[in-house]
Structure formats: structure tokens, C-alpha cells
Amino acid sequence: MSKGRLLLINVVGMIVVLALIAAGGYFYYENQNYVKTDDAVVSADINQIVATKSGLLTNWIAKEGEVVTGNQELGKISTGQQGLPIDSMAKGTIIKNEAKTNQMVQAGQVLAQTADMDHLYITANIEEDQLNNIEVGDSVDITVDGDSEATFSGQIEEIGYATNSVFSALPSQNSNGTYTKVTQKVPVKISVENPSSKVLPGMNAEVKISI
């Protein structure tokens, strides 16, 4: 083997070793200083607007995307004797309209849903073995799939008091006598500072919590 070829192999080998060392150092630094997950979603406080009585829906003005105030009248229900007003429960943006004027409705039927778009937050599911590393007030970097070019700031507001499995409708059953340990996740509420108009409830997100 020529000296030139041997030198080239040595140089390439050194570059590979240095790259591995750099990658290892990066991952060590990240793991020591941050808790990260992509198991997160944009959330908002949702309110339902429901029919208080059965009857004919009249004067229905709700439209998706429209901002309503608290106790704003959106329509009436005619029961034959009187017209009962239907009011919004709180200020919010109508994200789902499920009714129209002059349709028959039943008591308790959901007519529309509103979301508090002024106070969006992230619900991130953090693995149980990472909870000791975080606390309320920790700063968070947030990226949202719907606006992936931007990074938003936030902080931890609440840490759940139970894992998601506690509230599962279909808890896992151990029918064969064996046991497989599954890492549980706990919901963590994270504020979002100045989200863009592209950030919407339900969008996937990634969070990077400084520890």
C-alpha cells in the first residue's frame, strides 16, 4: 500500500473518530440539559354550546372562525310558547358549528364548540422516569408542525398527578400470566408565548425542556 493511500485512510479514520466523539458529546450534553419529546399536542380550553330545550332553532348566527363574547346570544329555541335564548358560555372562537337556522334540536344537543385561542397551551406526555428532572416554571422551546419554521417559548405550568393509563378507557389486561413493564407517561401543561396564527388546537408539537 502506498504512503499516500495509507495517509488518506488514516485521515479518514481520524475524521470518523472525531465525528463520533462530537456526536457523543452532543447527545450527552442534550440528555444532561434537556428533556425532549415529540409526544405533544397544541391544546385549548374548549366550551360546548348546547340546546337547553327541544324545539325549533331560530336566528342562529354562529359561524366557524367567528369570535364570540361571554353570554353572547347566538340564537333562540322556539318551543311553541316562547323563544329561549342560546348564549355562549365564554369568550372564544367558534371552531365547530353543528347547527343551522330552522332545524329541530333536542335538549342537550351540541350546537357549536368554541376554543380560547388567546391562551393556547401544549399538552406534552413526559415519561415517568424523567419527571424528577423537571418542575413548574422550567423554560421550554416549542416547535409546532403547523408552523415548523418558528420556535416558540413557553414554560411548564402544571405537572399531572396521574399517568395517562389511569384514565384509559381500555386498561391493558394481563391474561397469560406474564408481565411486561411499560414506561408510563404523565401529561404536562406548557404555556406558549405569542403563538402565530398558524398554530391551531390539535396540531402536533415537539418540546425541549431546559433542566
Side-chain angles (χ1 to χ4, degrees):
M1 182 180 295
S2 67
K3 290 183 179 180
R5 185 176 179 83
L6 181 60
L7 179 61
L8 178 61
I9 292 174
N10 288 335
V11 170
V12 171
M14 290 180 63
I15 292 175
V16 170
V17 171
L18 290 174
L20 291 174
I21 293 174
Y26 171 79
F27 285 114
Y28 176 80
Y29 175 83
E30 290 286 302
N31 289 333
Q32 291 297 310
N33 292 277
Y34 302 101
V35 171
K36 298 186 289 185
T37 183
D38 59 1
D39 186 0
V41 66
V42 180
S43 302
D45 291 337
I46 306 293
N47 286 298
Q48 294 183 333
I49 301 169
V50 301
T52 53
K53 294 284 186 179
S54 297
L56 181 68
L57 181 64
T58 62
N59 302 324
W60 184 247
I61 61 172
K63 296 180 180 179
E64 291 185 11
E66 182 177 289
V67 177
V68 297
T69 59
N71 299 317
Q72 178 178 338
E73 184 175 309
L74 301 177
K76 293 181 181 292
I77 295 178
S78 175
T79 61
Q81 298 178 342
Q82 58 180 339
L84 301 176
I86 302 172
D87 298 333
S88 57
M89 298 295 294
K91 179 183 177 181
T93 300
I94 297 175
I95 58 173
K96 184 69 172 178
N97 178 37
E98 304 182 55
K100 58 184 179 181
T101 295
N102 296 327
Q103 78 174 68
M104 296 298 298
V105 297
Q106 302 297 318
Q109 179 179 335
V110 176
L111 305 179
Q113 298 183 61
T114 65
D116 183 359
M117 303 294 285
D118 293 332
H119 301 92
L120 296 176
Y121 57 92
I122 304 295
T123 301
N125 297 305
I126 304 299
E127 293 184 354
E128 57 186 333
D129 56 2
Q130 294 183 318
L131 286 181
N132 286 335
N133 298 322
I134 65 174
E135 60 184 12
V136 172
D138 284 348
S139 60
V140 186
D141 290 332
I142 304 161
T143 56
V144 178
D145 286 4
D147 193 2
S148 58
E149 298 300 319
T151 299
F152 304 101
S153 298
Q155 66 178 23
I156 295 179
E157 291 191 340
E158 298 175 11
I159 298 175
Y161 288 92
T163 66
N164 291 328
S165 62
V166 172
F167 308 103
S168 174
L170 296 172
S172 58
Q173 299 294 325
N174 185 11
S175 59
N176 58 8
T178 61
Y179 173 73
T180 300
K181 184 177 180 180
V182 177
T183 301
Q184 301 297 315
K185 295 184 176 182
V186 175
V188 173
K189 182 179 179 180
I190 300 169
S191 65
V192 186
E193 296 180 8
N194 302 315
S196 70
S197 59
K198 298 178 182 178
V199 177
L200 302 175
M203 285 184 170
N204 292 317
E206 296 182 17
V207 300
K208 183 177 177 180
I209 305 170
S210 298
I211 59 176

